[in-house]
């Protein structure tokens, strides 16, 4: 495993995508600052300073990719929760992969597959974690109520230490995850997941699906009981 560090970059995911063919499997790109950080559904990921985590793992999982691609973000959300727990905090997951503390977002995950001429070249799996943010900056984050690890534990968090813990935690079970898929993390994922049993609305592209959050299936999709019956969704955002 190799780490590549940038003082400033547009986005670790963009860099990873542009250079994916030249970069080895399991390489980690991280930066002190992102000038154009990106989130899911073309949202922006705001740069909140160099003491926060902006990192992308480059993966070339070969043939096994098809089975696991859609669940990689869920795998990384579980691993992020495990690292947050080492700071004495109880994290939560909002399906599919937002990491929260007390309902407030602390980490976001963005997975991007890179194809050239129809051939899959690899995956750029990015994560941003709020580690050291001021209360004023947290309030300024658009859309979502957010938090940061320092605000939760009441002291500064060492970014490099968090990064190393997360890399170690990620690769500990990664090979097994490639073989077993979501089933290997399902139990742990369910331990962290919030809103189960509640009435929720999921934004799926241009439509909204409303229903009771029944469970998470073996393939990581969410099962909703709507007034038209059962719906299993693989993408979307709980709103
Ligand atoms: C989201 O919650 O919408 C996903 C946010 C992902 C942000 C991370 S920060 C590191 C990597 N580089 C990016 O431009 N985005 C991801």
């Amino acid at each position: 495993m190799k780490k590549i560090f940038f003082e400033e970059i547009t986005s670790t995911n963009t860099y990873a995508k542009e250079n994916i063919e030249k970069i080895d499997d399991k390489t980690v790109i991280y930066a002190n600052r992102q000038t154009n950080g990106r989130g899911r559904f073309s949202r922006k990921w705001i740069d909140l300073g160099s003491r926060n985590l902006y990192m992308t793992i480059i993966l070339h999982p070969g043939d096994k990719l098809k089975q696991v691609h859609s669940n990689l973000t869920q795998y990384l959300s579980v691993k992020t929760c495990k690292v947050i727990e080492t700071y004495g905090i109880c994290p939560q997951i909002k399906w599919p992969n937002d990491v929260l503390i007390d309902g407030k977002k602390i980490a976001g995950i963005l997975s991007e597959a890179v194809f050239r001429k129809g051939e899959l070249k690899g995956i750029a799996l990015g994560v941003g974690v709020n580690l050291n943010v001021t209360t004023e900056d947290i309030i300024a984050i658009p859309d979502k109520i957010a938090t940061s690890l320092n605000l939760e534990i009441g002291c500064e968090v060492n970014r490099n230490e968090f990064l190393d813990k997360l890399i170690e935690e990620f690769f500990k079970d990664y090979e097994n995850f490639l073989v077993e898929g979501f089933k290997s993390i399902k139990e742990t994922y369910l331990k962290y997941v919030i809103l189960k049993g509640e009435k929720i609305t999921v934004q799926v592209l241009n439509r909204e699906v409303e229903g009771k959050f029944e469970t998470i299936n073996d393939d990581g999709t969410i099962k909703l009981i709507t007034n038209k019956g059962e719906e299993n969704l693989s993408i979307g955002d709980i709103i």
Side-chain angles (χ1 to χ4, degrees), residues 11-13 34 37-40 45 55-56 105 108-109 127-128:
S11 142
T12 53
N13 262 45
Q34 291 193 129
R38 297 180 293 105
R40 294 170 70 223
W45 187 259
M55 128 181 165
T56 298
K105 183 157 167 170
I109 295 169
V127 58

